[in-house]
Amino acid sequence: MAHQQIADLHIRDLCPDDSTAIQQVAALLVDAFGHLESGWQTLADAIAKVEESFGADRISRVAVHTSAQAAQQVVGWVGAIEQYRGHSWELHPLVVHAAWRGQGIGRALVKDLETQVRQRGGTTLYLGTDDEEHRTSLAGVDLYPNLYRQIATIQNLGHHPYEFYQKLGFLIVGVIPDANGWGKPDILMAKRLR
Ligand SMILES: CC(C)(COP(=O)(O)OP(=O)(O)OC[C@H]1O[C@@H](n2cnc3c(N)ncnc32)[C@H](O)[C@@H]1OP(=O)(O)O)[C@@H](O)C(=O)NCCC(=O)NCCS
């Protein structure tokens, strides 16, 4: 699919004093993850999550759309946490507003994050992408027997985002079986940045 360039969209730091943007990011989290056990069900929980992203060992970036009326709307958020003494960073979390998906914003946020991590000397970006809803062939089964074969033959049954990350150059490097309860794994992915 050719992505349209979205005019009036830019990516910038999310700042602790930008309460309007923080509220908008929190609403995105509740909307995208509120139905999951591992997600954020209330706006207050989500705001606390967003505020964690202002630590010194964090990166917190928002995609902002400016409308003709000059109102700013946050349409996506990506965060990262410094790990392994700065060699590697964990991407967490990533969300694009439901009405803005499929237009290249997720890709743009991850590309921007890669640049941010490189600038800080990081060489690896990694993430865990849960499957709590049987959206891949790795859910609802016992992964311990033939683990590597099951990873190699993974199928996307329900538009699970692991394929989004594959398109951006990430590889599946492992799985935590039953991470979220029996048959609900966390799929681990990584990308070399240089
Ligand atoms: C996953 C998510 C961030 C993707 O953002 P997006 O802006 O819709 O993605 P993009 O438009 O940049 O897509 C880039 C490519 O990935 C593909 N893609 C996007 N989501 C996909 C999915 N769930 N499964 C398979 N492919 C996907 C797109 O088709 C596109 O492919 P193309 O380059 O061949 O055309 C977004 O769907 C989202 O916020 N989902 C809910 C929250 C979530 O799951 N976050 C990730 C948790 S680990």
Side-chain angles (χ1 to χ4, degrees):
M1 179 179 100
H3 293 298
Q4 63 186 78
Q5 279 287 352
I6 302 174
D8 304 319
L9 188 86
H10 68 283
I11 296 176
R12 62 161 169 82
D13 279 340
L14 178 63
C15 299
D17 58 354
D18 191 347
S19 58
T20 304
I22 291 169
Q23 293 271 344
Q24 291 180 0
V25 170
L28 294 188
L29 288 182
V30 174
D31 184 55
F33 301 109
H35 64 293
L36 298 173
E37 202 184 326
S38 63
W40 301 276
Q41 280 78 35
T42 67
L43 208 54
D45 285 350
I47 287 172
K49 182 71 194 174
V50 179
E51 286 174 344
E52 282 175 15
S53 77
F54 300 132
D57 58 344
R58 303 283 181 126
I59 299 170
S60 186
R61 303 278 289 173
V62 276
V64 178
H65 180 256
T66 307
S67 70
Q69 295 79 32
Q72 296 215 338
Q73 182 191 3
V74 172
V75 295
W77 180 49
V78 69
I81 308 166
E82 183 180 354
Q83 306 282 12
Y84 301 97
R85 301 172 311 285
H87 292 290
S88 302
W89 287 71
E90 179 185 3
L91 183 160
H92 176 77
L94 169 66
V95 62
V96 172
H97 190 298
W100 291 81
R101 290 177 195 159
Q103 300 180 65
I105 295 173
R107 181 192 295 273
L109 279 166
V110 175
K111 290 284 159 205
D112 174 86
L113 182 65
E114 289 175 10
T115 302
Q116 299 294 321
V117 170
R118 275 195 203 95
Q119 285 171 353
R120 289 160 175 78
T123 54
T124 303
L125 190 57
Y126 73 95
L127 60 100
T129 179
D130 294 305
D131 186 2
E132 295 175 73
E133 301 175 290
H134 204 160
R135 292 167 68 188
T136 76
S137 55
L138 299 183
V141 294
D142 185 357
L143 287 175
Y144 284 98
N146 298 316
L147 173 67
Y148 298 105
R149 181 165 173 73
Q150 297 197 66
I151 293 174
T153 57
I154 185 172
Q155 288 180 43
N156 200 346
L157 307 174
H159 206 59
H160 187 280
Y162 83 82
E163 228 172 335
F164 160 79
Y165 292 112
Q166 283 180 329
K167 288 191 168 180
L168 273 61
F170 288 78
L171 284 183
I172 298 178
V173 293
V175 165
I176 302 182
D178 309 328
N180 299 282
W182 192 90
K184 298 177 180 178
D186 196 6
I187 302 167
L188 307 180
M189 305 188 73
K191 178 175 180 177
R192 179 180 288 147
L193 296 184
R194 60 179 85 203

